[in-house]
Amino acid sequence: MTDVRNLLIRGSEKVIGHYLLLLASARTEDERRLYQSRIAREQRLLDELQGGVPDRLAA
């Protein structure tokens, strides 16, 4: 199950990267807040995955 966790970690990192690009080009404060909240949510998920959440919960 470590492969699944690694896949999820890489996916979360990629999603965060995409949101950071969107955040950099945000035109309104609403867009910035939206992207910041999505980055924060994805970062929490990433932290849980890297912190050793059991494999059965990570999927």
Side-chain angles (χ1 to χ4, degrees):
M1 283 295 186
T2 322
D3 292 337
V4 172
R5 179 178 283 147
N6 290 338
L7 179 67
L8 292 171
I9 288 171
R10 284 194 312 274
S12 287
E13 290 170 341
K14 192 169 185 174
V15 168
I16 290 170
H18 285 288
Y19 281 130
L20 287 171
L21 290 173
L22 290 170
L23 180 61
S25 64
R27 295 185 180 146
T28 66
E29 189 58 35
D30 286 340
E31 279 184 297
R32 283 184 201 80
R33 280 195 298 266
L34 174 66
Y35 298 139
Q36 287 170 337
S37 71
R38 290 183 179 179
I39 290 167
R41 181 185 65 198
E42 197 66 37
Q43 186 63 53
R44 283 191 302 273
L45 294 171
L46 181 58
D47 291 344
E48 287 179 22
L49 286 169
Q50 291 175 331
V53 175
D55 288 328
R56 61 184 168 77
L57 297 178

